[in-house]
């Protein structure tokens, strides 16, 4: 009887779920680290104009390829040096955070709406709707994301909006899969039946009985897909098919630095590390949220 | 109105429910007759105990009564008026459920007062203040302290949760409550409290119960009438006192024999139910109970049993139909 | 009489938790002889299942087990290496769990699993294991045993699966069998059959059996000895006759008043109940754990509670003698 231990614990008067959640969040170091780093990056992106000190587009051909502060010959005015057109590397990095976060957030939002709608519909109604959605998910999984994105961007031309839309329309599969199975788990629980017996409309049952109980899964998938979108944007931009220069995207920065990679490795190391830290923070956040909200942790 | 008091408040007329079941990926779907023509009349203020083994269709019947599933054929009549499958909201005001597992019957993300008030919100009854007043009344009625109202289900014990479920079921003042194994997930000492509460509420509010349970001691304690189900059919129905004093159908007899009363002088009974519960996809011919029946005769294997109406009840069995011979 | 096959003295189980240590089982003890059936009865959280897991050495790693004596057939279970425990488990002591659906591996046939249980502990060929499997399936009342061997668990009904579980537990002819709520997931008709089967086999094979359950009806019908657990303690222990005819502890009496007994409780009349909730087992406990729910509690209950005995071995922990056979009239004679 695995339940024994739970029930003993349950007899002990438990604190409210909110207090429990707070305790669990702050007890999870990965989650706290992820949140902190992500928060710092978001603040940097918001206040980029104040922090940068330079216009990320301003070229200064006289001061090209200045090395960053830890190397000899660095310019104290350009802490992270300048690129091959003499643009301040720190300013471009900070403004680049905006692009990455915006693309990650909006792509996750669009794909989240599409995937959740499809997954919830398939899980709740089942039958033919489920068959259709499952088929669409399989079709989508059969398409290589990068190739499709490349083709679309090649046809429509690259811009922030196009990249967001393409990624948003391509990354909904995991949302749909996870939401579908989450709904299947919750759908037949007795409180859903109770709500039906009370006379709740289908809309109310989905929105107020089912969604709050699967929202944790949704948040976890959203963070992972956000990280996924950020990496894809960088990849597309690197290939020249994402956001177009001179926009300061981290992918473009890596792309532009690749000719000098062997002589000036910092040129790609700096945006590369930034990308790494951002994606790591988001993934830690997602993992942490999953651990914190996992049912087996429930008081 | 005086005539209505004795008329049946709820009537099931020849309800059948058939599911299409696939056994294997490429097999053609086969019909599973979960309910094969169930007729039952429930009078006002009765407690009808519905007993039978798992898979006999009692939960399907409960779902149909609650409007969660539509019958394949047959009618549900409330106060003599037919209730169509689309009238779930109408049904909800009159029939409410209490489910088995108080751990899954309450939405874990909602506060206790929101859970209890939900039926009022859904049916647009009153404003927020009057709803909260109604919640206070219900908490008092089911014996919960007022302080739990802002709590969440995870903070309550099993018995307290079941009280919340009862409060939610009763806040719309339904006439009929479908209790689906309401105490089988609870500890013995809590079970008796909930049974007492259900008994008191029935007296106080004049409720009618359909009480589904596999615990025959509990059914005997609470029910005024008992219906015994086997493989989607009601094989015997009678006033509780009569049925427990003199069970007629061999299956009812076997069920009663298997009840373990706490008497250390007795050993475990032999129920003589030889074969296993049959597969409802291919039910036995004739009387569906014949493979397990110790008193089966030749006719039982071929002919469906007669519907023998006796004083106050009925039994579907060849043993009693052949009385004319 | 012979020595007890199982001897448990002062068994405690502690569960470390965020807010402190939970004393889930607090100093319980009992002796069990060959051929005897002990029923451990209690409500959820009483520690009855943990006790059975502790004897089998199957407690989760973070739980701490301690006892002044924990012996099975004169083997000190507290100082057995994990490998030695594995040799005992399934071989000389076996366990039957509540849920026959999840206790069998769905990926293997019934035959494979039965034979495996035998071959793990016996250096013999598969043929012999197979013969024994067929014999035992027959013994637990499964017809056409030969053909059942090649079936998978999902092809069997719940009752049949529980019979297979029992056959599996018996493969190595254990001396002790522990059944944790073996019939709770089954229908009443099947429950009676399975209990009968267990009782018959136990007598026939002269095993000692511990049956963990919350169902007083099961206890009354099958037990030689009964241990009533409450909040991690055995509050009363005695023969089934003593417990059901002359219960001494207020909790046992309360439990017996809670269940409707056909013929004795009038339909519709109020059942007895035990108000209140189980106390928290976290931190130190003083006095009687039941005193907050007890109708004969006194101030003295907050300090040490004596363990009382009759000369026949009926024992209970209460400051009262509780003479008077208050429950006598309620159980059908």
């Amino acid at each position: 009887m695995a339940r024994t231990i739970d029930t003993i614990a349950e007899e002990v008067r438990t604190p409210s779920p909110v207090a429990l959640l707070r305790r669990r969040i702050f007890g999870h170091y990965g989650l706290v680290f992820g949140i902190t780093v992500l928060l710092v990056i978001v603040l940097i992106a918001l206040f980029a104009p104040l922090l940068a000190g330079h216009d990320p587009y301003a070229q200064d051909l006289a001061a090209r390829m200045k090395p960053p502060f830890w190397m000899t010959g660095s310019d104290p005015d350009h802490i992270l040096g300048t690129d091959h057109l003499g643009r301040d590397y720190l300013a471009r990095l900070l403004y680049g955070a905006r692009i990455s976060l915006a693309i990650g957030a909006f792509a996750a939002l669009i794909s989240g709406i599409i995937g959740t709608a499809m997954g919830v519909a398939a899980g709740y109604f089942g039958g033919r709707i489920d068959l259709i959605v499952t088929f669409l998910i399989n079709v989508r999984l059969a398409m290589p994301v990068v190739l499709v994105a490349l083709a679309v961007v090649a046809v429509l031309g690259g811009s922030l909006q196009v990249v967001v839309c393409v990624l948003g329309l391509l990354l909904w599969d995991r949302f749909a899969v996870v939401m579908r199975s989450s709904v299947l788990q919750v759908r037949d629980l007795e409180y859903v039946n109770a709500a039906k017996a009370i006379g709740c409309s289908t809309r109310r049952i989905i929105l107020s009985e089912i969604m709050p109980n699967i929202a944790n899964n949704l948040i976890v998938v959203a963070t992972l897909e956000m990280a996924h979108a950020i990496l894809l944007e960088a990849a597309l931009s690197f290939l020249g098919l994402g956001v177009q220069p001179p926009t300061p995207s981290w992918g473009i920065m890596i792309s532009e630095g690749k000719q000098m990679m062997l002589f000036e490795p910092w040129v790609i190391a700096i945006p590369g590390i930034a990308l790494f830290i951002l994606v790591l923070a988001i993934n830690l956040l997602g993992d942490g949220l999953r651990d914190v909200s996992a049912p087996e942790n429930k008081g | 109105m005086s005539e209505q008091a004795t008329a049946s408040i709820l009537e099931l007329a020849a309800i059948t429910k058939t599911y299409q079941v696939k056994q294997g990926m490429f097999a053609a779907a086969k019909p599973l007759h979960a309910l094969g023509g169930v007729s039952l009349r429930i009078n006002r203020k009765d407690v009808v105990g519905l007993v039978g083994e798992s898979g006999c269709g009692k939960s399907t019947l409960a779902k149909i009564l609650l409007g969660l599933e539509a019958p394949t054929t047959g009618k549900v009549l409330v106060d003599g008026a037919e209730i169509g499958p689309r009238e779930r909201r109408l049904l909800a005001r009159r029939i409410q459920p209490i489910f088995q597992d108080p751990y899954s019957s309450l939405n874990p993300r909602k506060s206790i007062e929101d859970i209890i008030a939900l039926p009022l919100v859904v049916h647009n009854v009153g404003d927020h203040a009057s709803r909260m007043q109604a919640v206070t009344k219900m908490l008092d009625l089911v014996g919960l302290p007022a302080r739990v109202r802002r709590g969440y289900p995870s903070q309550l014990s099993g018995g307290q949760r079941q009280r919340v479920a009862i409060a939610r079921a009763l806040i719309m003042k339904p006439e009929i409550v479908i209790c689906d194994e309401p105490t089988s997930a609870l500890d013995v000492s809590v079970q008796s409290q909930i049974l007492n509460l259900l008994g008191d509420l029935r007296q106080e509010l004049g409720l009618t119960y359909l009480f589904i349970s596999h615990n025959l001691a509990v059914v005997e304690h609470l029910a005024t009438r008992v219906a015994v189900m086997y493989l989607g059919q009601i094989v015997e129905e009678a006033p509780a006192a009569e049925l427990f004093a003199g069970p007629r159908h061999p299956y009812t007899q076997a069920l009663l024999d298997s009840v373990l009363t706490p008497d250390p002088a007795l050993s475990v009974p032999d129920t003589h139910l030889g074969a296993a519960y049959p597969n409802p996809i291919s039910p036995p011919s004739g009387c569906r109970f014949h493979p397990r029946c110790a008193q089966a005769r030749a006719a039982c294997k071929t002919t469906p049993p007669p519907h023998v109406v006796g004083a106050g009840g009925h039994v579907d069995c060849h043993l009693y139909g052949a009385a004319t011979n | 009489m012979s020595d007890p096959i199982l001897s448990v003295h002062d068994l405690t189980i502690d569960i470390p938790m965020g807010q402190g240590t939970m004393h889930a089982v607090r100093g319980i003890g009992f002796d069990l002889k060959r051929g005897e059936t002990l029923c451990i009865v209690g409500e959820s959280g009483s520690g009855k299942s943990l006790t059975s897991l502790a004897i089998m050495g199957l407690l989760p790693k973070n739980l701490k087990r301690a006892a002044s004596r924990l012996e099975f057939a004169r083997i000190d279970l507290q100082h057995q290496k994990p490998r030695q425990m594995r040799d005992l488990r399934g071989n000389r002591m076996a366990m039957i769990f509540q849920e026959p659906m999840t206790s069998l591996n769905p990926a293997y046939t019934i035959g494979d699993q039965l034979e495996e249980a035998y071959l793990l502990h016996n250096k013999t060929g598969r043929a012999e294991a197979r013969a024994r499997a067929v014999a035992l399936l027959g013994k637990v009342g499964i017809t056409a045993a030969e053909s059942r061997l090649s079936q998978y668990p999902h092809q069997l009904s719940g009752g049949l699966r529980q019979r297979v579980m029992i056959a599996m537990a018996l493969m190595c002819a254990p001396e002790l069998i522990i059944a944790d709520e073996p019939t709770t997931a089954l229908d009443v008709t099947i429950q009676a059959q399975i209990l009968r089967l267990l009782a018959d086999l136990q007598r026939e094979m002269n095993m000692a059996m511990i049956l963990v359950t919350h169902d007083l009806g099961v206890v009354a019908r099958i037990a030689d000895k009964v241990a009533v657990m409450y909040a991690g303690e055995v509050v009363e222990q005695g023969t089934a006759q003593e417990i059901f005819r002359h219960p001494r502890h207020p909790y046992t009496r309360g439990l017996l008043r809670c269940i409707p007994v056909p013929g004795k409780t009038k339909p519709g009349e109020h059942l007895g109940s035990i108000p209140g909730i189980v106390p928290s087992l976290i931190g130190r406990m003083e006095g009687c754990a039941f005193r907050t729910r007890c109708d004969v509690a006194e101030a003295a209950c907050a300090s040490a509670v004596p363990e009382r005995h009759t000369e026949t071995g009926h024992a209970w922990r209460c400051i009262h003698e509780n003479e008077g056979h208050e429950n006598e009239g309620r159980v059908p004679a």
Side-chain angles (χ1 to χ4, degrees):
Chain A
M1 220 163 77
R3 187 136 153 204
T4 312
I5 299 168
D6 292 353
T7 27
I8 303 171
E10 195 257 343
E11 299 295 350
V12 182
R13 298 298 85 186
T14 48
S16 79
V18 181
L20 268 181
L21 192 67
R22 198 184 304 135
R23 193 184 303 159
R24 265 192 254 129
I25 288 175
F26 288 105
H28 195 293
Y29 296 122
L31 179 60
V32 172
F33 179 78
I35 290 178
T36 314
V37 172
L38 193 63
L39 205 66
V40 168
I41 295 176
V42 168
L43 288 176
I44 285 175
L46 284 175
F47 297 107
L50 299 177
L51 298 169
H54 288 272
D55 181 349
Y57 297 101
Q59 299 182 6
D60 181 0
L61 294 176
R64 290 165 58 210
M65 294 309 292
K66 289 274 185 211
F69 66 91
W70 63 83
M71 292 168 69
T72 50
S74 64
D75 183 343
D77 197 29
H78 302 286
I79 297 174
L80 292 183
T82 57
D83 68 4
H84 63 293
L85 295 174
R87 295 174 293 197
D88 183 61
Y89 225 52
L90 178 66
R92 287 186 69 73
L93 195 73
L94 299 189
Y95 277 87
R98 288 180 154 188
I99 303 283
S100 285
L101 285 173
I103 285 185
F106 283 109
L109 185 71
I110 294 173
S111 54
I113 291 171
I114 298 173
T116 304
M118 289 173 65
V120 169
Y124 187 76
F125 297 107
R128 202 153 291 165
I129 297 179
D130 189 23
L131 278 181
I132 294 170
V133 169
T134 314
F135 175 75
L136 287 176
I137 291 172
N138 285 331
V139 169
R140 156 61 202 86
L141 287 173
M143 297 195 297
V145 176
V146 177
L147 288 187
V148 174
L150 279 178
V152 174
V153 174
V155 172
L156 297 179
S159 74
L160 188 61
Q161 291 86 338
V162 170
V163 172
V164 165
C165 287
V166 167
L167 291 181
L169 292 175
L170 279 173
L171 296 182
W172 50 263
D173 53 304
R174 202 182 303 180
F175 284 99
V177 171
V178 171
M179 285 298 99
R180 177 175 169 274
S181 60
S182 309
V183 171
L184 280 179
Q185 280 172 16
V186 176
R187 172 181 82 164
D188 292 322
L189 289 182
E190 286 185 336
Y191 63 82
V192 177
N193 274 333
K196 284 184 193 166
I198 283 166
C200 287
S201 61
T202 305
R203 194 174 135 254
R204 182 186 284 275
I205 288 171
I206 290 176
L207 289 184
S208 91
E209 300 294 322
I210 291 183
M211 286 309 284
N213 288 292
I214 58 173
N216 48 357
N217 294 349
L218 180 61
I219 294 171
V220 172
V221 179
T223 55
L224 297 179
E225 286 305 306
M226 188 171 162
H228 193 184
I230 288 171
L231 285 176
L232 277 176
E233 180 273 328
L236 288 176
S237 299
F238 177 83
L239 294 172
L241 290 162
V243 183
Q244 294 302 305
T247 317
S249 151
W250 292 348
I252 292 175
M253 289 167 74
I254 294 174
S255 167
E256 288 172 346
K258 68 176 182 287
Q259 288 94 343
M260 283 153 282
M261 187 167 68
L262 293 179
F263 314 102
E264 306 280 0
W266 58 269
V267 180
I268 66 161
I270 288 171
I273 289 169
L275 199 59
F276 166 75
I277 291 174
L278 175 58
V279 170
L280 179 72
I282 294 174
N283 278 327
L284 281 175
L285 173 69
D287 277 359
L289 287 176
R290 191 191 53 214
D291 293 347
V292 162
S293 64
E296 60 266 30
N297 284 352
K298 267 183 191 142
Chain B
M1 283 306 279
S2 60
E3 202 190 305
Q4 258 203 348
T6 52
S8 55
I9 184 170
L10 182 67
E11 189 179 343
L12 303 174
I15 299 270
T16 67
K17 176 76 190 178
T18 307
Y19 296 101
Q20 297 295 324
V21 180
K22 277 193 178 179
Q23 292 179 310
M25 206 186 294
F26 300 107
K30 282 187 189 162
L32 186 158
H33 302 286
L35 295 176
V38 171
S39 297
L40 185 67
R41 294 168 74 103
I42 298 179
N43 289 335
R44 205 174 279 276
K45 297 191 188 173
D46 259 352
V47 178
V48 176
L50 188 62
V51 299
E53 289 169 276
S54 49
C56 73
K58 39 185 185 156
S59 295
T60 309
L61 196 64
K63 280 188 179 159
I64 288 174
L65 286 175
L66 292 169
L68 301 179
E69 300 222 14
T72 310
T73 62
K75 284 187 280 193
V76 178
L77 299 108
V78 177
D79 269 342
E82 190 181 341
I83 299 281
R86 302 204 164 273
E87 292 165 285
R88 195 166 86 187
R89 283 174 67 91
L90 198 74
L91 209 57
R93 285 176 165 253
R94 315 195 65 172
I95 306 182
Q96 275 296 308
I98 298 169
F99 291 109
Q100 172 179 6
D101 182 5
Y103 291 87
S104 73
S105 68
L106 306 179
N107 187 337
R109 305 272 165 172
K110 287 192 164 177
S111 69
I112 300 303
E113 63 182 11
D114 284 348
I115 289 172
I116 298 177
L118 182 66
L120 298 178
V121 177
V122 170
H123 291 273
N124 279 318
V125 179
D127 55 6
H128 184 75
S130 72
R131 282 174 199 155
M132 288 303 116
Q133 254 179 344
V135 169
T136 312
K137 257 196 192 154
M138 290 314 298
L139 285 173
D140 188 46
L141 189 67
V142 299
L144 282 172
R147 67 187 148 75
V148 306
R149 63 185 303 152
R150 299 209 192 282
Y152 286 83
S154 64
Q155 295 170 276
L156 303 186
S157 69
Q160 288 176 316
R161 290 184 205 206
Q162 200 59 305
R163 286 172 194 268
V164 172
I166 293 173
R168 170 180 62 189
L170 297 183
I171 199 165
M172 290 291 291
K173 304 190 171 61
E175 294 141 280
I176 306 161
V177 180
I178 314 280
C179 310
D180 191 353
E181 306 263 7
T183 60
S184 63
L186 302 175
D187 271 323
V188 177
S189 65
V190 181
Q191 166 179 312
S192 70
Q193 294 171 20
I194 298 295
L195 290 177
N196 288 343
L197 175 64
L198 287 172
D200 290 347
L201 290 171
R202 174 177 162 244
Q203 295 291 334
E204 248 169 82
L205 307 174
L207 297 170
T208 307
Y209 289 149
L210 179 67
F211 196 92
I212 300 173
S213 181
H214 67 269
N215 188 335
L216 285 141
V218 167
V219 170
E220 180 169 6
H221 181 71
L222 219 59
T224 56
R225 296 185 71 82
V226 179
V228 180
M229 275 190 94
Y230 188 78
L231 262 186
Q233 292 172 333
I234 292 178
V235 294
E236 182 168 4
E237 204 249 319
E242 253 172 60
L243 185 125
F244 283 102
R248 303 178 75 197
H249 198 284
Y251 180 61
T252 315
Q253 292 167 3
L255 273 184
L256 292 191
D257 284 347
S258 56
V259 176
L260 301 179
T261 47
D263 183 351
L266 301 176
S267 62
V268 184
D270 187 353
T271 54
H272 301 293
L273 282 174
Y277 197 77
N279 184 347
I281 290 182
S282 48
S285 61
C287 173
R288 294 181 167 195
F289 183 60
H290 85 257
R292 301 173 78 189
C293 183
Q295 304 170 56
R297 309 161 171 189
C300 300
K301 295 190 175 94
T302 50
T303 333
H307 186 74
V308 186
V309 180
H314 76 82
V315 58
D316 289 12
C317 182
H318 284 291
L319 293 178
Y320 304 95
T324 47
N325 294 5
Chain C
M1 275 293 274
S2 56
D3 279 346
I5 179 121
L6 181 72
S7 190
V8 178
H9 287 202
D10 287 325
L11 174 70
T12 63
I13 299 171
D14 289 346
I15 307 176
M17 295 185 50
Q19 309 99 299
T21 303
M22 182 198 283
H23 303 286
V25 173
R26 301 176 296 130
I28 68 163
F30 48 80
D31 290 313
L32 192 60
K33 297 196 187 88
R34 260 174 229 280
E36 268 187 335
T37 301
L38 168 73
C39 280
I40 303 180
V41 59
E43 300 183 274
S44 52
S46 61
K48 57 187 193 302
S49 291
L50 287 178
T51 302
S52 59
L53 291 176
I55 295 167
M56 293 293 287
L58 289 173
L59 284 177
K61 281 217 176 61
N62 60 331
L63 307 199
K64 292 188 187 68
R65 178 185 76 179
S68 68
R69 186 164 169 199
L70 187 58
E71 285 183 6
F72 166 72
R74 301 214 175 142
I75 301 168
D76 182 0
L77 295 181
Q78 292 192 87
H79 297 101
Q80 294 286 295
K81 296 198 179 74
R83 204 185 57 78
Q84 292 170 308
M85 274 313 286
R86 273 202 299 278
D87 282 343
L88 283 176
R89 268 200 304 267
N91 188 11
R92 301 186 63 187
M93 46 206 272
M95 190 151 180
I96 300 167
F97 292 95
Q98 172 179 356
E99 195 44 78
M101 309 289 172
T102 50
S103 307
L104 288 168
N105 189 333
Y108 293 94
T109 62
I110 302 301
D112 283 343
Q113 296 185 56
L114 285 169
E115 288 158 27
E116 183 69 19
Y118 189 68
L119 293 173
L120 262 178
H121 300 289
N122 294 280
K123 290 191 175 61
T124 53
R126 208 157 254 281
E128 190 180 321
R130 175 162 283 251
R132 183 158 177 83
V134 172
L136 272 171
L137 284 181
K139 200 167 238 176
V140 298
I142 292 180
T143 48
E146 199 79 59
S147 65
R148 295 282 184 194
L149 288 181
S150 57
Q151 289 191 314
Y152 287 89
H154 73 264
Q155 295 169 298
L156 306 179
S157 69
L160 277 184
R161 260 178 264 189
Q162 198 58 295
R163 283 170 195 265
V164 171
M165 281 303 299
I166 293 172
M168 199 144 113
L170 298 178
M171 276 305 273
C172 297
E175 292 145 84
L176 170 69
I177 189 156
I178 300 180
D180 187 354
E181 306 263 9
T183 58
T184 306
L186 304 174
D187 276 312
V188 274
T189 49
I190 314 291
Q191 161 171 312
Q193 293 174 12
I194 297 286
L195 286 176
R196 232 186 129 77
L197 174 69
L198 272 176
D200 289 347
L201 289 170
Q202 184 232 6
R203 207 170 308 128
E204 191 185 320
M205 301 172 79
N206 198 27
M207 296 179 293
M209 178 157 79
I210 297 179
L211 195 113
V212 176
T213 182
H214 68 276
D215 188 331
L216 292 165
V218 171
V219 176
R221 298 300 185 94
I222 208 168
D224 300 314
K225 288 201 222 164
V226 181
V228 182
M229 284 191 77
Y230 180 79
E233 283 180 317
V234 173
V235 293
E236 182 162 5
Q237 193 167 180
T239 64
Q241 283 286 338
E242 286 163 342
I243 297 290
F244 284 89
R245 294 265 196 259
H246 315 290
R248 296 291 194 114
H249 196 279
Y251 177 64
T252 317
R253 292 180 171 190
L255 272 186
L256 287 169
R257 274 198 297 269
C258 282
I259 47 173
V261 179
K264 289 296 164 190
T265 36
K266 275 203 219 94
E269 81 171 4
H270 261 209
L271 299 167
S273 63
I274 306 176
I277 54 161
V278 181
S280 162
L281 298 180
I282 295 179
R284 257 192 80 71
M285 297 223 27
E286 294 280 353
C288 175
F290 187 61
R291 65 178 189 275
T292 53
R293 304 172 73 184
C294 181
D295 48 7
V296 293
E298 292 174 9
C301 297
S303 46
V305 186
E307 182 168 324
R308 299 178 178 276
H309 301 269
T310 63
E311 55 274 28
T312 54
H314 185 182
W316 68 100
R317 279 170 190 272
C318 186
I319 62 163
H320 300 291
E321 274 288 345
N322 298 323
E323 280 291 354
H325 310 143
E326 104 158 25
N327 226 79
E328 204 170 31
R330 291 183 42 87
V331 175

